[in-house]
Short mmCIF file of all heavy atoms in Angstrom, two decimals:
data_model
loop_
_atom_site.label_atom_id
_atom_site.label_comp_id
_atom_site.label_asym_id
_atom_site.label_seq_id
_atom_site.Cartn_x
_atom_site.Cartn_y
_atom_site.Cartn_z
N ARG A 20 -71.07 46.43 -48.47
CA ARG A 20 -71.05 45.12 -49.20
C ARG A 20 -72.02 45.16 -50.38
O ARG A 20 -73.12 45.70 -50.22
CB ARG A 20 -71.44 43.98 -48.21
CG ARG A 20 -70.53 43.92 -46.94
CD ARG A 20 -70.91 42.61 -46.06
NE ARG A 20 -72.25 42.64 -45.68
CZ ARG A 20 -72.86 41.71 -44.84
NH1 ARG A 20 -72.02 40.87 -44.37
NH2 ARG A 20 -74.06 41.87 -44.30
N ASP A 21 -71.54 44.55 -51.44
CA ASP A 21 -72.39 44.45 -52.66
C ASP A 21 -73.69 43.70 -52.40
O ASP A 21 -74.65 43.94 -53.14
CB ASP A 21 -71.65 43.84 -53.75
CG ASP A 21 -70.44 44.69 -54.24
OD1 ASP A 21 -70.57 45.90 -54.00
OD2 ASP A 21 -69.57 44.08 -54.84
N THR A 22 -73.60 42.82 -51.41
CA THR A 22 -74.89 42.00 -51.24
C THR A 22 -75.84 42.66 -50.10
O THR A 22 -76.79 42.01 -49.88
CB THR A 22 -74.41 40.62 -50.54
OG1 THR A 22 -73.51 40.85 -49.53
CG2 THR A 22 -73.69 39.88 -51.70
N SER A 23 -75.37 43.82 -49.55
CA SER A 23 -76.20 44.45 -48.61
C SER A 23 -76.27 45.93 -48.67
O SER A 23 -75.97 46.64 -47.76
CB SER A 23 -76.02 43.98 -47.14
OG SER A 23 -74.56 44.26 -46.94
N LEU A 24 -76.42 46.44 -49.90
CA LEU A 24 -76.27 47.86 -50.10
C LEU A 24 -77.56 48.68 -49.55
O LEU A 24 -77.49 49.81 -49.28
CB LEU A 24 -76.27 48.13 -51.67
CG LEU A 24 -75.09 47.67 -52.40
CD1 LEU A 24 -75.26 47.79 -53.91
CD2 LEU A 24 -73.86 48.35 -51.85
N ASP A 25 -78.68 47.89 -49.23
CA ASP A 25 -79.82 48.52 -48.72
C ASP A 25 -80.51 47.42 -47.95
O ASP A 25 -80.09 46.25 -47.93
CB ASP A 25 -80.75 49.11 -49.75
CG ASP A 25 -81.03 48.18 -50.82
OD1 ASP A 25 -81.32 46.91 -50.52
OD2 ASP A 25 -81.03 48.56 -52.07
N PRO A 26 -81.55 47.82 -47.12
CA PRO A 26 -82.27 46.86 -46.19
C PRO A 26 -82.81 45.67 -47.10
O PRO A 26 -82.87 44.40 -46.62
CB PRO A 26 -83.32 47.61 -45.58
CG PRO A 26 -82.77 49.01 -45.51
CD PRO A 26 -82.04 49.10 -46.71
N LEU A 27 -83.44 45.90 -48.19
CA LEU A 27 -83.95 44.80 -49.00
C LEU A 27 -82.95 43.82 -49.43
O LEU A 27 -83.17 42.56 -49.21
CB LEU A 27 -84.62 45.40 -50.19
CG LEU A 27 -85.17 44.35 -51.33
CD1 LEU A 27 -86.04 43.40 -50.80
CD2 LEU A 27 -85.80 45.13 -52.45
N SER A 28 -81.82 44.23 -49.98
CA SER A 28 -80.71 43.26 -50.27
C SER A 28 -80.13 42.71 -49.19
O SER A 28 -79.81 41.44 -49.30
CB SER A 28 -79.58 44.00 -51.14
OG SER A 28 -79.07 45.09 -50.32
N TYR A 29 -80.10 43.32 -47.95
CA TYR A 29 -79.63 42.56 -46.76
C TYR A 29 -80.56 41.51 -46.40
O TYR A 29 -80.17 40.42 -45.96
CB TYR A 29 -79.49 43.62 -45.68
CG TYR A 29 -79.13 42.95 -44.36
CD1 TYR A 29 -77.75 42.44 -44.30
CD2 TYR A 29 -79.97 42.88 -43.25
CE1 TYR A 29 -77.35 41.83 -43.00
CE2 TYR A 29 -79.42 42.27 -42.06
CZ TYR A 29 -78.17 41.74 -41.98
OH TYR A 29 -77.78 41.18 -40.85
N MET A 30 -81.83 41.79 -46.51
CA MET A 30 -82.92 40.75 -46.04
C MET A 30 -82.83 39.54 -47.17
O MET A 30 -82.65 38.43 -46.65
CB MET A 30 -84.34 41.26 -46.07
CG MET A 30 -85.34 40.23 -45.73
SD MET A 30 -87.05 40.78 -45.92
CE MET A 30 -87.23 40.68 -47.70
N ILE A 31 -82.86 39.83 -48.37
CA ILE A 31 -82.78 38.76 -49.47
C ILE A 31 -81.58 37.99 -49.42
O ILE A 31 -81.60 36.67 -49.44
CB ILE A 31 -83.03 39.36 -50.82
CG1 ILE A 31 -84.44 40.06 -50.95
CG2 ILE A 31 -82.86 38.31 -51.93
CD1 ILE A 31 -85.58 39.04 -50.71
N ASN A 32 -80.39 38.58 -49.34
CA ASN A 32 -79.11 37.96 -49.56
C ASN A 32 -78.51 37.45 -48.17
O ASN A 32 -77.59 36.54 -48.32
CB ASN A 32 -78.08 38.77 -50.18
CG ASN A 32 -78.50 39.21 -51.57
OD1 ASN A 32 -79.04 38.53 -52.33
ND2 ASN A 32 -78.28 40.57 -51.96
N HIS A 33 -79.00 37.86 -47.14
CA HIS A 33 -78.43 37.43 -45.81
C HIS A 33 -79.34 36.91 -44.84
O HIS A 33 -79.39 35.70 -44.51
CB HIS A 33 -77.53 38.65 -45.19
CG HIS A 33 -76.43 39.02 -46.03
ND1 HIS A 33 -75.13 38.57 -45.73
CD2 HIS A 33 -76.28 39.95 -47.03
CE1 HIS A 33 -74.34 39.05 -46.55
NE2 HIS A 33 -74.98 39.91 -47.38
N LEU A 34 -80.31 37.69 -44.32
CA LEU A 34 -81.20 37.32 -43.27
C LEU A 34 -82.11 36.16 -43.63
O LEU A 34 -82.31 35.30 -42.91
CB LEU A 34 -82.07 38.50 -42.74
CG LEU A 34 -81.37 39.45 -41.76
CD1 LEU A 34 -82.44 40.37 -41.18
CD2 LEU A 34 -80.91 38.58 -40.56
N ASN A 35 -82.61 36.15 -44.91
CA ASN A 35 -83.60 35.17 -45.23
C ASN A 35 -82.98 33.72 -45.13
O ASN A 35 -83.71 32.74 -44.92
CB ASN A 35 -84.11 35.39 -46.64
CG ASN A 35 -85.33 36.20 -46.63
OD1 ASN A 35 -85.78 36.66 -45.57
ND2 ASN A 35 -85.91 36.55 -47.77
N SER A 36 -81.64 33.60 -45.38
CA SER A 36 -81.03 32.31 -45.35
C SER A 36 -80.46 31.81 -43.96
O SER A 36 -80.00 30.80 -43.87
CB SER A 36 -79.95 32.22 -46.50
OG SER A 36 -78.98 33.23 -46.30
N VAL A 37 -80.49 32.85 -42.97
CA VAL A 37 -79.87 32.56 -41.71
C VAL A 37 -80.89 31.55 -41.03
O VAL A 37 -82.03 31.70 -40.92
CB VAL A 37 -79.80 33.82 -40.83
CG1 VAL A 37 -79.50 33.45 -39.33
CG2 VAL A 37 -78.63 34.63 -41.43
N GLY A 38 -80.28 30.46 -40.50
CA GLY A 38 -81.16 29.34 -39.93
C GLY A 38 -81.26 28.26 -40.87
O GLY A 38 -81.66 27.13 -40.50
N ASP A 39 -81.12 28.48 -42.22
CA ASP A 39 -81.32 27.54 -43.18
C ASP A 39 -80.03 27.12 -43.86
O ASP A 39 -79.43 26.06 -43.63
CB ASP A 39 -82.22 28.09 -44.39
CG ASP A 39 -82.53 27.09 -45.49
OD1 ASP A 39 -82.33 25.92 -45.24
OD2 ASP A 39 -82.99 27.55 -46.53
N LYS A 40 -79.30 28.03 -44.79
CA LYS A 40 -78.07 27.75 -45.39
C LYS A 40 -76.83 28.33 -44.82
O LYS A 40 -75.84 28.04 -45.21
CB LYS A 40 -78.24 28.14 -46.83
CG LYS A 40 -79.40 27.36 -47.53
CD LYS A 40 -79.53 27.94 -49.00
CE LYS A 40 -80.71 27.19 -49.76
NZ LYS A 40 -80.82 27.70 -51.21
N ARG A 41 -77.10 29.31 -43.81
CA ARG A 41 -75.96 30.02 -43.31
C ARG A 41 -76.25 30.55 -41.98
O ARG A 41 -77.42 30.59 -41.48
CB ARG A 41 -75.61 31.23 -44.16
CG ARG A 41 -76.68 32.28 -44.42
CD ARG A 41 -76.33 33.35 -45.49
NE ARG A 41 -75.12 34.03 -44.97
CZ ARG A 41 -75.24 35.09 -44.13
NH1 ARG A 41 -76.36 35.51 -43.70
NH2 ARG A 41 -74.18 35.76 -43.90
N GLY A 42 -75.10 30.92 -41.22
CA GLY A 42 -75.36 31.55 -40.03
C GLY A 42 -75.01 33.11 -40.14
O GLY A 42 -75.26 33.69 -41.15
N LEU A 43 -74.54 33.76 -39.08
CA LEU A 43 -74.32 35.15 -39.16
C LEU A 43 -72.84 35.38 -39.48
O LEU A 43 -71.85 34.70 -39.13
CB LEU A 43 -74.59 35.86 -37.78
CG LEU A 43 -76.01 35.76 -37.26
CD1 LEU A 43 -76.19 36.49 -35.87
CD2 LEU A 43 -76.94 36.40 -38.29
N ASP A 44 -72.58 36.45 -40.20
CA ASP A 44 -71.25 36.89 -40.46
C ASP A 44 -70.69 37.78 -39.30
O ASP A 44 -71.42 38.06 -38.47
CB ASP A 44 -71.21 37.82 -41.78
CG ASP A 44 -71.55 36.97 -42.98
OD1 ASP A 44 -71.36 35.78 -43.04
OD2 ASP A 44 -72.17 37.54 -43.98
N GLN A 45 -69.38 38.15 -39.46
CA GLN A 45 -68.76 38.94 -38.36
C GLN A 45 -69.46 40.33 -38.28
O GLN A 45 -69.77 40.72 -37.00
CB GLN A 45 -67.27 39.11 -38.71
CG GLN A 45 -66.41 37.90 -38.80
CD GLN A 45 -66.35 37.05 -37.54
OE1 GLN A 45 -66.00 37.59 -36.45
NE2 GLN A 45 -66.80 35.82 -37.58
N VAL A 46 -69.81 40.93 -39.33
CA VAL A 46 -70.51 42.23 -39.09
C VAL A 46 -71.84 42.15 -38.51
O VAL A 46 -72.35 42.98 -37.83
CB VAL A 46 -70.47 43.09 -40.38
CG1 VAL A 46 -71.45 42.34 -41.41
CG2 VAL A 46 -70.91 44.48 -40.19
N ASP A 47 -72.44 40.93 -38.74
CA ASP A 47 -73.83 40.70 -38.20
C ASP A 47 -73.76 40.54 -36.69
O ASP A 47 -74.88 40.81 -35.93
CB ASP A 47 -74.42 39.43 -38.75
CG ASP A 47 -74.67 39.42 -40.34
OD1 ASP A 47 -74.95 40.55 -40.77
OD2 ASP A 47 -74.36 38.43 -40.99
N LEU A 48 -72.71 40.10 -36.19
CA LEU A 48 -72.55 40.06 -34.69
C LEU A 48 -72.61 41.35 -34.14
O LEU A 48 -73.18 41.59 -32.96
CB LEU A 48 -71.19 39.41 -34.35
CG LEU A 48 -71.18 37.87 -34.62
CD1 LEU A 48 -69.76 37.37 -34.34
CD2 LEU A 48 -72.25 37.07 -33.98
N PHE A 49 -72.04 42.55 -34.78
CA PHE A 49 -72.27 43.83 -34.30
C PHE A 49 -73.67 44.18 -34.23
O PHE A 49 -74.25 44.75 -33.28
CB PHE A 49 -71.48 44.78 -35.15
CG PHE A 49 -70.03 44.90 -34.88
CD1 PHE A 49 -69.17 44.27 -35.79
CD2 PHE A 49 -69.44 45.72 -33.90
CE1 PHE A 49 -67.79 44.40 -35.55
CE2 PHE A 49 -68.19 45.78 -33.60
CZ PHE A 49 -67.26 45.14 -34.49
N LEU A 50 -74.41 43.82 -35.39
CA LEU A 50 -75.79 44.16 -35.46
C LEU A 50 -76.56 43.45 -34.50
O LEU A 50 -77.59 43.92 -33.80
CB LEU A 50 -76.30 43.82 -36.84
CG LEU A 50 -77.83 44.05 -37.08
CD1 LEU A 50 -78.28 45.49 -36.93
CD2 LEU A 50 -78.11 43.59 -38.57
N LEU A 51 -76.31 42.19 -34.18
CA LEU A 51 -77.01 41.42 -33.17
C LEU A 51 -76.87 41.87 -31.84
O LEU A 51 -77.94 42.12 -31.07
CB LEU A 51 -76.45 39.92 -33.24
CG LEU A 51 -77.11 38.96 -32.25
CD1 LEU A 51 -78.63 38.82 -32.37
CD2 LEU A 51 -76.40 37.56 -32.24
N GLY A 52 -75.76 42.30 -31.36
CA GLY A 52 -75.50 42.89 -30.07
C GLY A 52 -76.25 44.23 -29.93
O GLY A 52 -76.78 44.55 -28.94
N TYR A 53 -76.14 45.06 -30.95
CA TYR A 53 -76.77 46.39 -31.02
C TYR A 53 -78.33 46.18 -30.94
O TYR A 53 -78.91 46.97 -30.27
CB TYR A 53 -76.34 47.02 -32.30
CG TYR A 53 -76.97 48.45 -32.48
CD1 TYR A 53 -76.57 49.48 -31.95
CD2 TYR A 53 -78.11 48.56 -33.27
CE1 TYR A 53 -77.06 50.84 -32.05
CE2 TYR A 53 -78.68 49.86 -33.57
CZ TYR A 53 -78.15 50.95 -32.86
OH TYR A 53 -78.73 52.17 -33.03
N SER A 54 -78.89 45.17 -31.62
CA SER A 54 -80.25 44.99 -31.55
C SER A 54 -80.83 44.54 -30.23
O SER A 54 -81.90 45.05 -29.77
CB SER A 54 -80.74 44.03 -32.65
OG SER A 54 -80.35 44.45 -34.00
N LEU A 55 -80.01 43.75 -29.50
CA LEU A 55 -80.48 43.17 -28.28
C LEU A 55 -79.81 43.89 -27.13
O LEU A 55 -80.15 43.66 -25.99
CB LEU A 55 -80.06 41.77 -28.20
CG LEU A 55 -80.69 40.85 -29.24
CD1 LEU A 55 -80.21 39.39 -29.04
CD2 LEU A 55 -82.26 40.96 -29.31
N GLU A 56 -78.97 44.99 -27.39
CA GLU A 56 -78.34 45.76 -26.43
C GLU A 56 -77.42 44.87 -25.35
O GLU A 56 -77.65 44.95 -24.21
CB GLU A 56 -79.32 46.75 -25.67
CG GLU A 56 -79.91 47.73 -26.58
CD GLU A 56 -80.60 48.93 -25.81
OE1 GLU A 56 -80.61 48.87 -24.57
OE2 GLU A 56 -81.03 49.78 -26.54
N VAL A 57 -76.58 44.07 -26.02
CA VAL A 57 -75.58 43.32 -25.23
C VAL A 57 -74.33 43.40 -25.91
O VAL A 57 -74.24 43.64 -27.05
CB VAL A 57 -76.08 41.88 -25.03
CG1 VAL A 57 -77.26 41.66 -24.22
CG2 VAL A 57 -76.18 41.13 -26.39
N LYS A 58 -73.29 43.35 -25.10
CA LYS A 58 -71.81 43.23 -25.53
C LYS A 58 -71.54 41.84 -25.93
O LYS A 58 -71.63 41.03 -25.06
CB LYS A 58 -70.89 43.85 -24.61
CG LYS A 58 -71.00 45.30 -24.30
CD LYS A 58 -69.94 45.83 -23.35
CE LYS A 58 -70.05 45.17 -21.98
NZ LYS A 58 -68.89 45.65 -21.02
N ILE A 59 -71.04 41.61 -27.23
CA ILE A 59 -70.76 40.27 -27.49
C ILE A 59 -69.28 40.15 -27.64
O ILE A 59 -68.67 40.82 -28.47
CB ILE A 59 -71.33 39.84 -28.93
CG1 ILE A 59 -72.88 39.78 -28.84
CG2 ILE A 59 -70.92 38.46 -29.37
CD1 ILE A 59 -73.69 39.61 -30.10
N VAL A 60 -68.68 39.19 -26.87
CA VAL A 60 -67.27 38.95 -26.84
C VAL A 60 -67.10 37.58 -27.35
O VAL A 60 -67.70 36.55 -26.96
CB VAL A 60 -66.64 39.08 -25.54
CG1 VAL A 60 -65.24 38.62 -25.51
CG2 VAL A 60 -66.75 40.44 -25.04
N VAL A 61 -66.19 37.28 -28.26
CA VAL A 61 -66.02 36.03 -28.95
C VAL A 61 -64.57 35.55 -28.85
O VAL A 61 -63.65 36.41 -29.33
CB VAL A 61 -66.46 35.94 -30.49
CG1 VAL A 61 -66.23 34.58 -31.04
CG2 VAL A 61 -67.91 36.51 -30.63
N TYR A 62 -64.23 34.44 -28.29
CA TYR A 62 -62.92 33.88 -28.33
C TYR A 62 -62.81 33.01 -29.53
O TYR A 62 -63.38 32.01 -29.71
CB TYR A 62 -62.78 33.06 -27.08
CG TYR A 62 -62.80 33.85 -25.84
CD1 TYR A 62 -64.01 33.93 -24.92
CD2 TYR A 62 -61.65 34.61 -25.42
CE1 TYR A 62 -63.94 34.71 -23.79
CE2 TYR A 62 -61.66 35.48 -24.28
CZ TYR A 62 -62.85 35.42 -23.44
OH TYR A 62 -62.85 36.16 -22.31
N ARG A 63 -61.96 33.41 -30.47
CA ARG A 63 -61.79 32.78 -31.72
C ARG A 63 -60.54 31.95 -31.68
O ARG A 63 -59.44 32.49 -31.89
CB ARG A 63 -61.78 33.82 -32.89
CG ARG A 63 -62.91 34.72 -32.96
CD ARG A 63 -62.73 35.92 -33.91
NE ARG A 63 -62.80 35.45 -35.29
CZ ARG A 63 -62.39 36.13 -36.33
NH1 ARG A 63 -61.93 37.33 -36.17
NH2 ARG A 63 -62.40 35.60 -37.48
#
């Protein structure tokens, strides 16, 4: 993604605004599950 080419841009363009102006994107759900070591299943 153009907005997360490296960790700094990921933090500035995505993580910093989570909880304020936005939530998590679909790819972020993979990262969330990977970080906490849980399988995340979503009924859309």
